[in-house]
Amino acid sequence: DTAVSQTPKYLVTQMGNDKSIKCEQNLGHDTMYWYKQDSKKFLKIMFSYNNKELIINETVPNRFSPKSPDKAHLNLHINSLELGDSAVYFCASSRYYEQYFGPGTRLTVT
Amino acid sequence: GENVEQHPSTLSVQEGDSAVIKCTYSDSASNYFPWYKQELGKRPQLIIDIRSNVGEKKDQRIAVTLNKTAKHFSLHITETQPEDSAVYFCAASIRYSSASKIIFGSGTRLSIRP
């Protein structure tokens, strides 16, 4: 009965590759988010979708493209991966204020 | 731009003592202030939150206070226990039409000494 799930949990890939991370929530929430947590543990919002519509788009490189096929899913596709993309990526969902996080995907770019 | 400052970055307290973490925010439009606890290798978990129309909220051993005039808010943990050891994040949130934008502080690594 996992509330917010992400796949994969770990992702190791080489520079220049393209990869995707998937997120699903079964809480019935309308809004989903992607966050990046860097090596210093700093958490920063990247995107937010509400019912498949992009609401928040922070200053994220165009190589990052979120896609929401329905309000329970929000995927993150990353093109031309760079070393600096190495981080933990968290998906989250909310109905109003409270946000609930997924388990995270640790991306390592070599 | 929006900014949340959090202090201290590390905190070590004796088991049973209290721990206090303080934050300030810059955007006066912020109206929701959650606190998250993140254990090593785990997801951030919401432990307590406070809305802008409330000055204080308590839940068992944890309490939060908010001073909107000064743009300060704090987390207080009393009777600390070993399982309280983690990184704690404060945050300030602005509600848009259909989403909330949360700005996180830089985190406080809390260690409880036995």
Side-chain angles (χ1 to χ4, degrees):
Chain A
D1 59 345
T2 304
V4 184
S5 59
Q6 292 178 231
T7 54
K9 189 168 176 62
Y10 300 98
L11 189 51
V12 181
T13 188
Q14 291 184 328
M15 284 175 57
N17 285 348
D18 303 338
K19 290 294 179 184
S20 292
I21 307 171
K22 295 185 177 182
C23 178
E24 177 181 0
Q25 56 94 5
N26 62 7
L27 297 166
H29 291 166
D30 294 324
T31 310
M32 297 183 71
Y33 307 79
W34 278 110
Y35 287 87
K36 178 181 180 181
Q37 187 170 45
D38 61 24
S39 58
K40 295 184 179 179
K41 302 296 186 186
F42 192 68
L43 265 168
K44 185 169 169 51
I45 189 169
M46 300 173 69
F47 301 103
S48 172
Y49 269 75
N50 178 271
N51 204 12
K52 302 192 295 178
E53 180 185 354
L54 181 65
I55 303 297
I56 296 171
N57 184 348
E58 289 296 285
T59 51
V60 178
N62 290 339
R63 301 182 293 104
F64 291 79
S65 53
K67 284 186 173 53
S68 182
D70 56 61
K71 72 175 190 177
H73 295 84
L74 180 61
N75 304 323
L76 183 65
H77 188 77
I78 315 170
N79 290 327
S80 304
L81 278 155
E82 301 177 357
L83 292 176
D85 297 332
S86 294
V88 179
Y89 292 84
F90 286 100
C91 174
S93 75
S94 72
R95 172 166 284 130
Y96 297 114
Y97 287 96
E98 297 88 353
Q99 292 191 19
Y100 297 93
F101 284 77
T105 296
R106 182 173 294 277
L107 172 64
T108 303
V109 183
T110 62
Chain B
E2 309 108 337
N3 187 44
V4 175
E5 293 194 0
Q6 182 171 349
H7 300 281
S9 57
T10 60
L11 179 60
S12 179
V13 301
Q14 192 76 34
E15 182 178 351
D17 288 350
S18 296
V20 179
I21 302 171
K22 297 184 178 182
C23 293
T24 60
Y25 61 98
S26 61
D27 195 327
S28 56
S30 300
N31 56 5
Y32 171 68
F33 305 89
W35 286 86
Y36 285 84
K37 174 183 180 182
Q38 187 177 27
E39 296 175 346
L40 188 63
K42 300 287 181 66
R43 73 189 78 192
Q45 290 204 301
L46 180 67
I47 56 171
I48 195 167
D49 55 16
I50 191 167
R51 306 265 175 104
S52 59
N53 57 348
V54 176
E56 185 172 353
K57 182 177 178 180
K58 189 173 181 180
D59 182 4
Q60 299 183 347
R61 296 187 298 108
I62 58 175
V64 291
T65 58
L66 171 65
N67 182 331
K68 280 218 78 178
T69 303
K71 297 182 188 172
H72 290 172
F73 58 117
S74 302
L75 176 72
H76 303 249
I77 306 174
T78 58
E79 300 172 19
T80 53
Q81 300 169 3
E83 53 265 35
D84 295 331
S85 294
V87 178
Y88 291 80
F89 292 95
C90 65
S93 176
I94 303 169
R95 180 74 184 172
Y96 290 89
S97 59
S98 49
S100 295
K101 181 176 178 180
I102 290 186
I103 306 299
F104 283 88
S106 53
T108 295
R109 186 175 299 278
L110 175 63
S111 301
I112 307 301
R113 304 191 303 271

